[in-house]
């Protein structure tokens, strides 16, 4: 439990979406919107001035390229934790975002509950990838990685949820089963992939998401 609110900067070029985000963030008790920007130069100035915990950034190659902004923030020194709101579900864009150190990756038309969960995970320094984008991980597992063909459908779902930093208890709740069953799935996945050590499954899933295999 934190005593101070998580400070947020929103970088969004469309007034309609910006207004919607502003109004929704105002309803969250543990969040404080401290800066808004409509383009990259304004975002750099306001983020430097307000030093937010999290930057919620539009990512559109036609409008505001959030990856360019993330790269500039990283070069500036202390950068906020970054979430990209993307109009693209292409795997190469997800790979690029992970390479730049982005922690959250959600669609621009995200649901309110998805944004809340993403903010919570990113605040704690964990990755969050929208389930609609995480399906690309499962698709890649099916299509491109021979070592993962032996995983069952449930094991693939578990691996996808692990990539979103979900605990065994959280995965059990989502899949409607017991923690013991999920731990058995995790054990079997590690055995099939021949990986060992503390947090090995999370490290594997994170590495896989940012590997060159995700480039279309």
């Amino acid at each position: 439990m934190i005593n101070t609110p998580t400070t947020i900067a929103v970088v969004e070029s469309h007034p309609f979406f910006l207004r919607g985000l502003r109004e929704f963030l105002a309803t969250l008790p543990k969040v404080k919107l401290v800066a808004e920007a409509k383009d990259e130069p304004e975002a750099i100035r306001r983020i430097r001035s307000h030093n937010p915990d999290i930057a919620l950034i539009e990512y559109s190659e036609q409008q505001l390229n959030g990856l360019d902004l993330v790269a500039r923030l990283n070069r500036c020194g202390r950068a906020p934790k970054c979430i990209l709101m993307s109009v693209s579900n292409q795997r190469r864009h997800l790979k690029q975002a992970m390479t730049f150190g982005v922690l959250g990756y959600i669609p621009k038309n995200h649901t309110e509950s998805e944004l809340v969960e993403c903010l919570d995970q990113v605040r704690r320094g964990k990755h969050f990838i929208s389930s609609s984008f995480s399906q690309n991980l499962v698709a890649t597992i099916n299509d491109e990685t021979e070592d993962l063909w032996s995983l069952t459908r449930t094991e693939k779902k578990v691996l996808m949820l692990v990539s979103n930093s979900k605990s065994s208890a959280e995965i059990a709740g989502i899949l409607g089963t017991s923690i013991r069953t999920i731990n058995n799935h995790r054990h079997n996945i590690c055995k099939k992939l021949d990986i060992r050590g503390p947090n090995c499954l999370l490290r594997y899933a994170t590495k896989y998401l940012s590997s060159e295999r995700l480039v279309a």
Side-chain angles (χ1 to χ4, degrees), residues 45-196:
R45 291 195 304 271
R46 292 186 179 275
I47 289 173
R48 282 178 174 174
S49 175
H50 294 277
N51 198 25
D53 299 313
I54 296 175
L56 192 58
I57 303 169
E58 174 189 358
Y59 178 34
S60 171
E61 291 181 317
Q62 288 72 36
Q63 300 292 332
L64 196 158
N65 190 328
L67 283 180
D68 290 345
L69 174 56
V70 171
R72 286 192 62 186
L73 290 172
N74 288 338
R75 291 195 298 269
C76 288
R78 185 192 180 281
K81 299 179 178 72
C82 292
I83 298 171
L84 290 187
M85 302 175 292
S86 179
V87 298
S88 169
N89 64 356
Q90 293 187 32
R91 286 175 289 175
R92 65 184 180 89
H93 292 152
L94 176 58
K95 183 264 177 183
Q96 290 167 353
M98 297 297 103
T99 300
F100 277 82
V102 170
L103 290 181
Y105 197 82
I106 60 177
K108 194 163 183 178
N109 61 343
H110 53 263
T111 63
E112 292 180 351
S113 60
E114 188 170 44
L115 177 57
V116 169
E117 185 176 3
C118 182
L119 288 171
D120 182 61
Q121 293 287 340
V122 170
R123 175 185 63 80
R124 294 185 284 167
K126 296 184 177 182
H127 286 89
F128 181 89
I129 301 169
S130 168
S131 59
S132 60
F133 295 144
S134 296
Q135 294 302 324
N136 279 321
L137 173 61
V138 175
T140 305
I141 288 172
N142 287 331
D143 297 338
E144 300 180 16
T145 309
E146 184 173 327
D147 291 343
L148 301 176
W149 285 351
S150 61
L151 298 185
T152 67
R153 179 176 297 180
T154 299
E155 288 168 348
K156 291 172 186 176
K157 289 180 180 178
V158 170
L159 182 59
M160 182 182 71
L161 291 167
V162 167
S163 76
N164 275 336
S165 301
K166 298 293 187 185
S167 67
S168 292
E170 291 171 320
I171 296 173
I174 292 169
L175 298 184
T177 188
S178 68
I179 297 175
R180 182 177 179 179
T181 297
I182 296 302
N183 286 335
N184 286 337
H185 284 311
R186 295 177 72 127
H187 173 78
N188 290 336
I189 293 169
C190 290
K191 185 175 181 179
K192 290 178 179 180
L193 299 180
D194 194 26
I195 54 178
R196 302 175 183 83

Side-chain angles (χ1 to χ4, degrees), residues 26-41:
T27 69
L28 302 181
K30 297 181 181 180
V31 166
K32 182 179 180 181
L33 178 61
V34 296
E36 299 177 6
K38 298 180 179 65
D39 55 38
E40 184 176 309

